[in-house]
Amino acid sequence: RIVADCSVELKARIIKVLAEAGERVAVIETEGEERGRFESAAVRVSLGQQGTDASRIASDVTIADDRLLSLVRAVGFSALIMRQIRQGLRFLLTSHLSQLLTVLFGSALLAFPLTALQLLWMNLVTNLIPALALVLRHPTKEHSVISQSMMKQDGPRYLPSVVLALVGVALVLTSAALLSGTAAQVQSFMFASLSLFQLGVALSSMHEQPLWRLSPSRFVSQRTVIKAVAASLLFVLVPFA
């Protein structure tokens, strides 16, 4: 239902009813008499050109060009930023947790499952470069539309990251236990396997889905992340004694 050219009292009543129903309401204040009348609104918006000084002072957001499309784009861009930050946090949590668990449980195989240089190399290469690419990548056309899932206010879900880290560490340690070789060879194998696992997590994090569920077109759409993972992979190929 659309209500147009309604009075200030009716406008305030509609906002109050929607707020009591649990909706997040944004209202545009254009007149000075509306100041302070819409306390139930979550966001009060004013117009930079047509609005009064009183409405601009009382508002939370001011649209400088008086175009509602500008506000929609700003909200969509902020939602994209928050989404990409959550993806970067999930990736870093999974990566660092997998390293920690590898050192803790890998001590059953070797006194030092990973050397200090290998841990530092993973932090700088397989963690830092993909994480920056996840957070700073340019949005694609696929993500230019505000979806309902993007606007959810819940925080990062940590349980999938913990489970994924446990699965990856279990695979790395099981494979290392079956490998017959010197201590240096086992360390190199664990370093390479854990690095590849982390790079796979980075590719999966950019769409918040497992790799096998992604279509080729969606997979190649994030060229920044793919380039970062490819660069990290080249650095991982540097041999370690």
Side-chain angles (χ1 to χ4, degrees):
R1 182 180 179 182
I2 299 176
V3 181
D5 295 331
C6 61
S7 63
V8 178
E9 290 75 13
L10 179 58
K11 194 174 182 181
R13 184 179 177 184
I14 294 174
I15 295 171
K16 183 178 180 181
V17 171
L18 291 174
E20 291 176 350
E23 300 290 340
R24 297 180 61 87
V25 184
V27 59
I28 298 179
E29 299 179 354
T30 58
E31 302 177 3
E33 64 180 9
E34 295 181 352
R35 181 181 180 184
R37 301 293 297 274
F38 307 133
E39 297 295 338
S40 301
V43 181
R44 288 176 292 180
V45 183
S46 64
L47 302 179
Q49 299 178 3
Q50 299 181 11
T52 61
D53 293 336
S55 63
R56 285 193 290 269
I57 294 174
S59 64
D60 301 306
V61 179
T62 300
I63 305 178
D65 57 1
D66 290 2
R67 297 180 60 191
L68 188 59
L69 181 60
S70 300
L71 179 61
V72 174
R73 289 175 176 173
V75 173
F77 189 73
S78 63
L80 285 171
I81 293 176
M82 290 301 299
R83 181 182 184 181
Q84 293 179 181
I85 290 176
R86 287 197 299 265
Q87 291 173 349
L89 289 176
R90 290 195 189 100
F91 165 69
L92 288 176
L93 175 63
T94 306
S95 300
H96 288 291
L97 186 59
S98 63
Q99 293 179 24
L100 177 62
L101 294 176
T102 300
V103 173
L104 289 178
F105 295 106
S107 59
L109 298 177
L110 294 173
F112 299 98
L114 295 171
T115 65
L117 182 59
Q118 289 173 338
L119 288 173
L120 179 61
W121 194 256
M122 281 192 291
N123 288 331
L124 292 177
V125 176
T126 62
N127 289 349
L128 182 60
I129 296 177
L132 289 176
L134 284 170
V135 175
L136 301 178
R137 71 186 189 274
H138 191 275
T140 60
K141 294 182 178 179
E142 174 190 351
H143 299 129
S144 60
V145 179
I146 304 176
S147 62
Q148 194 68 22
S149 60
M150 290 169 53
M151 299 306 297
K152 289 182 179 179
Q153 299 298 318
D154 56 346
R157 298 177 181 177
Y158 298 118
L159 183 59
S161 299
V162 174
V163 174
L164 185 59
L166 290 173
V167 173
V169 171
L171 293 175
V172 171
L173 294 181
T174 302
S175 302
L178 299 176
L179 180 66
S180 59
T182 63
Q185 291 175 339
V186 175
Q187 284 180 336
S188 299
F189 173 79
M190 295 177 67
F191 166 77
S193 301
L194 191 58
S195 299
L196 293 176
F197 165 74
Q198 292 176 353
L199 295 179
V201 172
L203 293 175
S204 179
S205 298
M206 63 182 177
H207 289 290
E208 301 179 344
Q209 294 183 22
L211 292 177
W212 57 86
R213 292 184 180 180
L214 296 177
S215 61
S217 59
R218 292 189 62 192
F219 180 78
V220 300
S221 62
Q222 298 292 344
R223 293 185 177 87
T224 303
V225 180
I226 295 177
K227 291 178 181 178
V229 171
S232 300
L233 182 60
L234 291 178
F235 286 112
V236 169
L237 294 179
V238 175
F240 280 87

